[in-house]
Amino acid sequence: MFKFVVGFAWMVIMLWGCKDEFNKTGYDLLLPGDLVTVNRVVEKESIKSYTVTDGNQRTDEPTYNLLGTFNDPVFGKTTADFAVQFRLGSFPDFSKDAQPDSIMLYLYYMELYGDTIVPQRLKVYELASNLDVDQKYYQDINLKSLSKGEILADYSYIPKFKLDSITSNYGSTKEDPKDTVIQQISIKLDLSLARKLMAADSLTLSNNDKFLNYLKGLYIEAGDLNTGGAIMKINTIAQSNTISHGSYLVLHYHNSEEDSLYCSLGITQSSARISRFAHDYTKTKFATNLDKEQNQDSLIYLQTTGGLKTKILIPNLETWRDSSKVAINQAELIFQLDTIASETAKYLPPEQLVLSVIGVDSIGNSTEYLPSDLAFSQTYYGGTYNKSDKTYRFNIAKHMKEVIDQKEDRQNLGFYLSTAFRSSTMRRAVLKGATSKTGIRFEVTYSKLK
C-alpha cells in the first residue's frame, strides 16, 4: 500500500508539471494556416428586454385542464376554467321503471398553485353547443356563451394540497417527497341532468357520436375572487405514467328490481377539452411598461396560461458578419431568476423555458420559429431550470452562425422567451432584466483561424 501511494503521488506530480506541455502536443506539426485562437466575449450592455403579453394561446385538448381563480401578489389575477365532453363507457339500460338517485361530477387533481385558504366558487352548466375535437380553440373563447343558462351546481370548494412522505411511489422519500395525495372534488349536480340522461332512447345510448349530440358536455366555471385563491391542475383524462384517476360523471339510479345501480361517463383522448384563460394586470407594478418598448424594466416577467413572455434584442449580433473564418463554439444566453420577486419558496418556477426566434414570412408578417440548435438535442439547446445557480441557459451557437452567414435570409430581429407547457400548467417567474445590475448575459466562445 505504501509503494502504491508513493507511486501514485509521484505520477500526479509528474503530470501536473507537464500540463503546459500537453497543451502544446503536436503544435509544431500544424501548418501555420491551421492554427486557431480560442476567444471568449461576454455581451451584456447592448441587450434589451421587454415584457409583453403572450398572445392568444391554443387551448384545445391539453394534457391537463386548469381550474380556479388566483390573485397573484406579483402577476395580478388569473382565471382558468374549461368545458369538456363525456363519453359512455358502456351502454346502459334504463328500463324497468328506472329512477334517478343522484348525479355526481368528480374532478381529480394533484397539483395546486396558490393558497389553501380561500374557497373557490365553482359553477357547472350544460353545454348548448357542440364541441369539435378536431377544431382549434383559443384561450379567449367565451365558454359561457356556449352553455345553457340553467346552473346545474353552485359549489364552494377550498383546495387542498398534501405531500405523501410515507410511500416510495414515484421516487418519493421523507426528505424529498415527490408524490402528491390525489384530491377529489365531488360536485352534486341537479337531478334534471340525470332525468335527461335516463330519458335518452336506446339508439342514442348505443353510439357515442349520437350521445354527444344529446349531451354535448359540461362547462365548469371558476367564480371571481378579489383576494387569494389558487389554480388547480385537473386530471381530466387518466395519465398512464402518473396516476390512473381521470375525472368523470356518475349517474346513480335504481329500478323496480335493483338498488345502487350506476352509469359512468368518462373523459378520454377522444373527448374535446377546451380551456379558457383570462388575465388582469391592471394592478401590477409592471403594468405601465407592459407591451411597450420605450421603457425597459429592470425585471422581466414570464407566465403560462397565455400570460406573459419577454422580447429579447441583441443588436450586436450582426456585427459578427465582419469577422472572417470564425467558428462559433458556444453562444450561451443566460437568464438569472430573481428569487425574491419570484417567491420560489411558495411558487414553483417553470421547469422549462422556450427561446424562439423572431422572423418574417414571405408576405412580411412576423413569425416565430425555434432555433436550429434544438435539432441537436434538448440538452444542447437548454432552457431547463438550474436549481444550483437559479438560471436558465440557452445555447444558440448554430443559429448565431446562420445569422453571421446570412443563411436562408436569417435576420437578427430578436427572440421571444416564454414558458413551456403554457396550456396545461400554472407557472410564473420573475427574471433579471437587461437593465438590472445582473443583466442578461450573452457569452460567446469562438475559434478564429490565424
Side-chain angles (χ1 to χ4, degrees):
M1 179 62 70
F2 175 76
K3 291 180 179 179
F4 173 77
V5 172
V6 172
F8 181 76
W10 176 252
M11 183 176 65
V12 170
I13 293 171
M14 290 295 291
L15 290 176
W16 184 267
C18 295
K19 67 177 182 178
D20 289 337
E21 294 304 315
F22 275 127
N23 290 336
K24 296 180 180 180
T25 301
Y27 190 85
D28 56 336
L29 300 179
L30 294 173
L31 295 174
D34 293 332
L35 300 181
V36 297
T37 56
V38 178
N39 301 281
R40 179 173 174 269
V41 295
V42 178
E43 183 63 40
K44 179 179 170 183
E45 302 302 325
S46 67
I47 297 176
K48 297 180 180 179
S49 60
Y50 311 92
T51 300
V52 297
T53 49
D54 198 10
N56 202 14
Q57 293 299 315
R58 208 178 142 179
T59 59
D60 52 285
E61 284 69 67
T63 307
Y64 301 90
N65 287 94
L66 303 180
L67 179 64
T69 299
F70 176 35
N71 288 276
D72 191 298
V74 177
F75 286 75
K77 183 185 294 187
T78 295
T79 301
D81 45 34
F82 65 96
V84 65
Q85 291 176 334
F86 294 87
R87 302 175 72 88
L88 291 166
S90 60
F91 305 113
D93 180 9
F94 293 128
S95 59
K96 301 177 183 177
D97 302 319
Q99 297 294 321
D101 295 319
S102 64
I103 183 165
M104 301 292 299
L105 173 63
Y106 296 104
L107 304 175
Y108 290 92
Y109 66 95
M110 290 182 68
E111 184 175 298
L112 176 71
Y113 212 79
D115 66 46
T116 55
I117 300 173
V118 180
Q120 294 282 337
R121 186 175 181 184
L122 306 176
K123 294 183 180 181
V124 182
Y125 301 85
E126 181 185 352
L127 291 178
S129 301
N130 287 308
L131 300 179
D132 186 351
V133 72
D134 297 319
Q135 184 177 331
K136 296 178 181 179
Y137 295 90
Y138 295 86
Q139 70 185 64
D140 62 351
I141 185 172
N142 187 347
L143 294 176
K144 193 73 168 285
S145 68
L146 304 180
S147 308
K148 296 183 178 181
E150 297 79 18
I151 300 176
L152 294 176
D154 189 343
Y155 184 68
S156 182
Y157 177 76
I158 300 177
K160 303 174 185 177
F161 182 81
K162 183 180 178 182
L163 288 171
D164 186 349
S165 60
I166 299 175
T167 179
S168 60
N169 291 340
Y170 316 116
S172 179
T173 64
K174 186 173 290 186
E175 294 75 21
D176 184 21
K178 295 179 181 178
D179 60 316
T180 308
V181 175
I182 301 168
Q183 302 296 338
Q184 181 190 78
I185 308 174
S186 305
I187 306 176
K188 188 173 184 178
L189 305 181
D190 191 90
L191 270 181
S192 61
L193 183 63
R195 287 191 285 268
K196 174 177 178 171
L197 291 175
M198 299 184 71
D201 57 38
S202 57
L203 183 61
T204 299
L205 295 175
S206 66
N207 183 291
N208 259 313
D209 290 334
K210 291 182 174 61
F211 179 74
L212 288 176
N213 281 323
Y214 187 73
L215 179 64
K216 297 174 173 56
L218 298 178
Y219 167 45
I220 300 93
E221 179 188 40
D224 191 25
L225 293 175
N226 293 321
T227 58
I231 302 291
M232 296 168 284
K233 185 177 176 180
I234 304 296
N235 293 278
T236 37
I237 58 176
Q239 304 297 317
S240 59
N241 293 328
T242 53
I243 63 171
S244 59
H245 293 77
S247 300
Y248 57 97
L249 187 66
V250 180
L251 166 61
H252 298 274
Y253 67 100
H254 67 275
N255 59 29
S256 57
E257 297 180 358
E258 295 181 84
D259 289 327
S260 304
L261 299 172
Y262 70 91
C263 170
S264 179
L265 292 82
I267 305 169
T268 71
Q269 291 283 2
S270 300
S271 302
R273 309 176 302 281
I274 316 299
S275 289
R276 180 190 74 97
F277 303 135
H279 299 278
D280 183 0
Y281 301 116
T282 55
K283 297 180 181 179
T284 62
K285 292 181 178 180
F286 58 81
T288 55
N289 291 329
L290 184 60
D291 291 321
K292 296 176 183 177
E293 296 189 18
Q294 293 82 6
N295 299 314
Q296 294 189 75
D297 197 333
S298 60
L299 299 174
I300 51 179
Y301 302 82
L302 302 173
Q303 185 186 38
T304 59
T305 62
L308 303 171
K309 62 182 179 182
T310 298
K311 186 175 183 179
I312 308 294
L313 300 176
I314 311 177
N316 289 350
L317 201 61
E318 291 176 314
T319 61
W320 287 75
R321 286 178 183 162
D322 297 331
S323 303
S324 60
K325 298 181 180 179
V326 169
I328 305 298
N329 306 106
Q330 187 177 48
E332 195 171 42
L333 197 55
I334 304 170
F335 300 91
Q336 184 73 50
L337 184 76
D338 188 309
T339 55
I340 296 176
S342 295
E343 295 184 89
T344 53
K346 291 178 62 177
Y347 308 113
L348 289 174
E351 297 93 340
Q352 175 81 44
L353 298 184
V354 177
L355 185 73
S356 57
V357 184
I358 302 173
V360 177
D361 63 17
S362 58
I363 58 175
N365 293 324
S366 179
T367 61
E368 290 182 48
Y369 61 92
L370 293 171
S372 53
D373 302 85
L374 181 58
F376 291 134
S377 72
Q378 180 69 56
T379 303
Y380 178 88
Y381 164 72
T384 56
Y385 179 55
N386 188 327
K387 292 183 179 180
S388 61
D389 63 1
K390 308 295 188 296
T391 62
Y392 295 91
R393 296 167 179 263
F394 294 90
N395 184 14
I396 54 171
K398 191 171 187 296
H399 171 74
M400 182 178 176
K401 184 61 175 171
E402 290 171 354
V403 171
I404 294 172
D405 296 341
Q406 296 181 290
K407 182 181 179 181
E408 298 178 359
D409 298 323
R410 289 287 192 259
Q411 302 179 58
N412 183 28
L413 302 177
F415 305 86
Y416 281 124
L417 182 67
S418 57
T419 53
F421 317 113
R422 285 178 272 187
S423 295
S424 59
T425 304
M426 186 64 198
R427 290 287 188 275
R428 36 77 117 197
V430 183
L431 307 180
K432 300 291 188 181
T435 59
S436 69
K437 184 177 180 180
T438 303
I440 300 169
R441 304 195 309 279
F442 186 46
E443 299 183 357
V444 181
T445 304
Y446 65 97
S447 301
K448 186 173 181 181
L449 294 174
K450 288 187 176 180

